[in-house]
């Protein structure tokens, strides 16, 4: 009976890993961090071995694991530790955390196929191990290493045996690769010295150049690369191969990352850092030299040269042989930054995100793992890149709520970046024009070292802010309404007359947030979510923006059959329509999530705007992030109140951030820009502070608000949410939980709110009730929850630690 056991974390909502027996054949490969396939009930699942031990518990029959997929750990010990921390802190199953950390369809290394060559079939085996392998292959033909492992009954060092057999040409092997991989011819210099090779090339000048080139790059190169670089024909390469100067082999084609980058390749700009930038960089290099953890907050307005500072810091890390992870909030922001990174780091850049093909993603992940790429760029999941010797993690736009994953595990990559950096003795650099209140407070408490950039790079000067008080426009006040005030129209005309570009912000996509029957009041709510569906006129559809369900837009009211349907309020589509009425003939485009589904997607829209083919860009906040448009002289927020009135304690913070970011869009070029903000609340401190660029004033007011009402950062917050199709059952479960928590001795140090309906009481056909907990003692709160919450609730319970969106 086998006595070794493996605890395997499985991607299922179970609190703990499950224990399986390790069959003898798999023993040599069973290690922490490798993946294994197991049966759970009748389901075949892939999980990760998180512990190997022999602590068999009496009377419990265990199933054997089916097979082990990897020959080397896919999660290195440091990442496994981070996984454990994440599972613990966010109260999520370890298996779900592990699944999030690994590329979704990582190929099993055990799927490498091997076969016996003719030479191998004829040659005598040199020892018993070889003989076992050769026998198995003779019998079974071509097979995966995993199969071979089990057929040979678990050789202690199958890898070594395969390596010798393969070196002597007795077996052939083929990496299992993603479907999109292609094989190409590559050549390398044969062993021997350069002069001899050059002599062998004879009088062929092109041949000599090829040899010089290969010697200079010091690595194999594809024939295509050589003919491209030297400008010779493939025949030159073939001749050198036949002369024995070059050796030819096939290699997996390196997929180009070009389509994930915006702009042309080239040299990085040569920039003399300003003193404030140099100071910040000095701080970072100091941290890299000390090799211990440091946490920094780099604050500076858009265009103040933050990117320049962190890319330099990444160069410094690389010069010390250390890796950098660069995080951006959204995939959409990768292409623009990727090019600047590529210009500096070339092949050292790896891009990792879910918008890539699986072949590309594996390639990048492998290059990172092998230490070939040391600068990794991507959205939050890139935090888990298996980099060698981590030196620096940069979290750009650290305040962005996209760093929080809204599915289990509900982690925040910004916060975990600090944890990973701490454990690796690396520097964590949070970057923002408008840091989160959490980070501002951490800087005040000395937990983050604050580095401020005070000047604006280049010639761009700060835009002028113009406030339009919608109350004075004498307009009826209807929710979601969007107006082009006289002042705004004037500013747009002026900008267009000057040949400048304009950005208009409206944070709702579609035509109108609601299609209402004026006769009977029918508003065509989504039956599953209980909220009005958004009217998309172009597609003639009503779409629920919460669950995505859609129906054709009716011509007459489906309820009373009257021809009295009216679109209420305006989304980007309607803003575009109104704009075209007001400014006929002006080229205008829209950027929002609907654009993402159209051919060319956001990249095409951005490029057209960048090239100046389009004068005016209307968009949701997708427009406000990251992009650099030197010819934009005017930006406008059409309805600032839409953001302010959102029922979330971060609504004010988000409004302020948005306004500041939007202001940063205007006037990045040579001319000063203008920002128009239309609002019904012109005196609100967030709007005032954004207009006057009084960042400290905003922080002071907002921190006061948070302190008075016991919101983060002064407290840690946990949201418990119960979801159920049955309303009564959901209510009963959340009430039981709430009562249990209220009885706990620690409850005196916790603010308990609820149970109550969640802001979205119905979503996708489920009823949702929540219970909020806040405490200044985060550890105590965690302990209490661990003691009171059921380990296997038996109902749908969402635990959201440090929630970002309270929906
Ligand atoms: P941020 O990340 O703060 O928005 P960037 O680093 O992207 O700012 O800098 C904005 C622009 O200014 C870029 O085009 C950058 O190349 C340029 N820049 C940055 N630092 C300097 C400097 N010290 N001198 C001149 N130009 C600079
Ligand atoms: Zn819905």
């Amino acid at each position: 009976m086998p006595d070794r056991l493996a605890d395997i974390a499985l991607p299922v909502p179970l609190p703990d890993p499950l224990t399986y027996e390790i069959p003898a054949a798999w023993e040599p490969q069973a290690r922490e961090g490798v993946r294994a396939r197991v049966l759970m009930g009748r389901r075949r699942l892939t999980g990760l071995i998180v512990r190997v031990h022999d602590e068999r518990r009496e009377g419990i029959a265990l199933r054997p694991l089916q097979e082990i997929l990897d020959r080397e750990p896919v999660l290195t010990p440091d990442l496994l530790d981070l996984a454990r921390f994440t599972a613990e802190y966010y109260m999520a199953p370890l298996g779900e955390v592990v699944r999030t950390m690994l590329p979704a369809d990582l190929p099993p290394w055990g799927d490498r196929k091997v076969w016996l060559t003719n030479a191998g079939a004829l040659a005598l085996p040199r020892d018993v191990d070889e003989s076992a392998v050769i026998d198995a292959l003779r019998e079974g033909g071509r097979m995966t290493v995993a199969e071979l492992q089990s057929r040979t009954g678990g050789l202690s060092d199958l890898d070594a045996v395969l390596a010798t057999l393969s070196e002597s040409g007795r077996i052939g092997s083929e990496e299992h690769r993603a479907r999109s991989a292609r094989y190409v011819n590559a050549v390398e210099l044969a062993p021997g010295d350069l002069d001899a090779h050059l002599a062998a090339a004879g009088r062929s000048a092109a041949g000599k150049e090829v040899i010089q080139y290969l010697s200079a790059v010091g690595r194999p190169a594809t024939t295509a690369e050589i003919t491209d670089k030297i400008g010779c024909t493939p025949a030159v390469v073939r001749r050198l191969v036949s002369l024995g100067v070059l050796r030819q082999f096939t290699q997996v084609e390196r997929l180009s990352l070009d389509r994930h980058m915006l702009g042309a390749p080239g040299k990085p700009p040569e920039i003399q850092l300003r003193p404030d930038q140099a100071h910040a960089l000095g701080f970072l290099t100091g941290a890299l030299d000390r090799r211990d953890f440091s946490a920094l907050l780099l604050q500076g307005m858009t265009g103040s040269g933050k990117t320049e500072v962190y890319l330099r810091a990444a160069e410094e890390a690389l010069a010390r042989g250390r890796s950098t992870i660069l995080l951006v909030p959204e995939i959409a922001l990768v292409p623009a930054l990727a090019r600047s990174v590529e210009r500096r780091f070339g092949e050292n850049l790896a891009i990792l995100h879910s918008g890539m093909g699986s072949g590309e993603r594996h390639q990048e992940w492998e290059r990172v793992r092998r230490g070939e790429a040391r600068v990794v760029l991507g959205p939050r999941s890139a935090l888990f890149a298996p980099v060698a010797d981590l030196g620096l993690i940069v979290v750009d736009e650290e305040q962005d709520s996209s760093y929080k994953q809204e599915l289990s595990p509900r982690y925040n990559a910004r916060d975990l970046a600090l944890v990973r950096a701490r454990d690796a003795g690396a520097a964590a650099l949070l970057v923002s024009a408008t840091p989160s209140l959490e980070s501002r407070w951490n800087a005040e408490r000395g937990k983050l070292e604050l580095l401020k950039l005070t000047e604006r790079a280049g010639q761009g000067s700060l835009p002028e802010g113009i406030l339009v008080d919608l109350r004075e426009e004498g307009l009826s006040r209807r929710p979601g309404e969007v107006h082009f005030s006289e002042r705004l129209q004037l500013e747009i005309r002026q900008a267009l007359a000057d040949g400048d570009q304009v950005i208009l912000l409206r944070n709702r996509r579609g035509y109108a947030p609601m299609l209402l029957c004026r006769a009977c009041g029918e508003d065509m709510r989504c039956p599953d979510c209980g909220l009005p569906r958004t009217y998309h006129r172009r597609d003639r559809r009503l779409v629920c923006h919460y669950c995505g369900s859609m129906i054709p837009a009716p011509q007459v009211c489906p309820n009373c059959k009257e021809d009295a349907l009216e679109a209420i309020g305006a989304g980007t589509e309607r803003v575009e329509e109104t704009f075209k009425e007001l400014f006929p003939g002006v080229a205008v485009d829209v950027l929002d999530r609907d654009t993402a589904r159209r051919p060319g997607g956001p990249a095409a829209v951005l490029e057209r705007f960048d090239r100046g083919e389009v004068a005016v860009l209307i968009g949701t906040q997708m427009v406000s992030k990251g992009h650099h448009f030197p010819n934009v002289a005017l930006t406008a927020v059409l309805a600032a109140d839409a953001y302010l009135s959102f029922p979330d304690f971060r609504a004010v913070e988000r409004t302020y951030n948005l306004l500041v970011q939007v202001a940063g869009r205007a006037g990045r070029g040579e001319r000063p820009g203008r920002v128009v903000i239309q609002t019904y609340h012109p005196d609100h401190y967030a709007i005032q502070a954004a207009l006057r660029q009084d960042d400290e004033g905003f922080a002071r007011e907002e921190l006061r608000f948070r302190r008075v009402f016991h919101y983060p950062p002064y407290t840690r917050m946990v949201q418990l949410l119960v979801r159920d199709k049955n309303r009564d059952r959901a209510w009963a479960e959340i009430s039981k939980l709430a009562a249990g928590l209220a009885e706990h001795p620690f409850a005196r140090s916790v603010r308990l709110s609820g149970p109550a309906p969640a802001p979205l009481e119905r979503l996708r056909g489920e009823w949702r009730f929540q219970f909020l907990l806040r405490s200044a003692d985060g550890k105590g709160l965690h302990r209490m929850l661990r003691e009171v919450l059921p380990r296997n609730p038996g109902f749908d319970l969402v635990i959201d630690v440090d929630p970002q969106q309270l929906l």
Side-chain angles (χ1 to χ4, degrees), residues 269 271-274 277 300-310 344 396 431 453 457-458 628 668:
I271 285 176
Q272 181 79 36
L273 292 187
R274 295 187 318 264
Q277 288 173 306
M301 66 187 82
T302 325
S304 60
K306 302 184 294 297
T307 310
E308 184 65 28
V309 169
Y310 70 66
R344 280 169 214 248
D396 202 358
V431 180
L453 298 186
H628 174 72
R668 295 195 75 181

Side-chain angles (χ1 to χ4, degrees), residues 526 528-529 544 546-549 764:
C526 168
D528 289 336
C529 302
C544 171
Y546 291 100
C547 72
S549 72
R764 296 182 190 94

Side-chain angles (χ1 to χ4, degrees), residues 344-587:
R344 280 169 214 248
F345 299 98
E347 299 273 296
N348 253 308
L349 163 68
I351 302 178
L352 274 178
H353 62 71
S354 59
M356 310 173 80
S358 65
E360 292 172 324
R361 214 162 55 225
H362 296 153
Q363 165 183 295
E364 295 299 277
W365 194 82
E366 276 284 6
R367 291 198 316 120
V368 171
R369 201 167 75 112
R370 288 196 298 256
E372 292 168 19
R374 287 175 176 271
V375 182
V376 182
L377 170 63
R380 60 169 181 259
S381 59
L383 174 68
F384 305 123
V387 295
D389 194 1
L390 180 66
L392 173 67
I393 308 181
V394 177
V395 186
D396 202 358
E397 309 281 3
E398 64 86 27
Q399 81 289 351
D400 200 300
S401 60
S402 309
Y403 282 119
K404 172 91 174 171
Q405 175 156 296
E406 295 296 343
L407 291 172
S408 179
R410 295 177 161 75
Y411 70 96
N412 188 321
R414 189 253 331 263
D415 300 338
L416 285 185
L418 293 167
V419 176
R420 186 166 183 195
R422 184 194 64 201
D423 294 348
L429 180 68
L430 309 185
V431 180
S432 180
T434 52
S436 61
L437 275 292
E438 285 82 350
S439 295
R440 290 177 192 264
W441 197 56
N442 280 334
E444 266 182 34
R445 296 196 285 169
K447 287 198 156 188
L448 289 171
E449 179 73 35
L450 181 61
L451 303 169
K452 270 196 167 182
L453 298 186
T454 46
E455 289 167 63
R456 217 170 194 212
Q459 288 156 307
S461 49
L462 277 168
E464 180 194 343
I466 299 160
L467 200 58
V468 173
D469 186 347
L470 290 173
R471 294 171 306 185
E472 288 172 6
E473 293 274 314
L475 301 160
S476 66
R477 215 177 143 173
R478 276 202 253 163
E481 210 76 72
V482 165
H483 304 283
F484 284 80
S485 60
E486 291 298 326
R487 181 66 193 265
L488 176 57
Q489 293 188 36
L490 192 82
E491 293 293 339
I492 294 175
R493 289 219 160 80
Q494 187 59 50
L496 294 176
D498 293 345
D500 291 326
Q501 285 180 307
V502 176
I503 290 178
L504 304 175
L505 220 91
R506 172 62 183 145
N507 205 22
R508 276 213 84 132
R509 59 203 169 87
Y511 185 80
M514 192 196 298
L515 194 58
L516 181 76
C517 173
R518 271 184 287 117
C520 76
E522 168 68 51
D523 59 8
M524 282 154 277
R525 284 166 190 253
C526 168
D528 289 336
C529 302
L531 291 168
R533 289 179 147 125
T534 302
Y535 178 34
H536 288 245
R537 199 157 90 163
R538 197 190 336 247
D539 308 331
R540 298 212 176 84
R541 281 202 285 239
L542 293 174
V543 181
C544 171
H545 281 187
Y546 291 100
C547 72
S549 72
M550 51 181 102
I551 53 170
Q555 295 295 315
V556 296
C557 174
N559 183 38
C560 70
K561 314 293 180 221
E562 288 285 328
D563 181 8
L565 295 178
E566 187 187 341
I568 304 294
T572 46
E573 213 181 307
R574 191 174 200 174
V575 172
E576 181 186 20
E577 181 189 83
T578 311
F579 181 88
K580 283 178 169 163
E581 283 162 14
L582 291 169
F583 303 92
V586 175

Side-chain angles (χ1 to χ4, degrees), residues 86 106 144 158 211 227 242 275 285 317 322 371 422 504 669 695 722:
T86 306
L106 203 63
T144 64
L158 181 61
I211 294 167
T227 53
S242 65
T285 35
R322 304 180 70 183
R422 184 194 64 201
L504 304 175
D695 186 70
V722 173

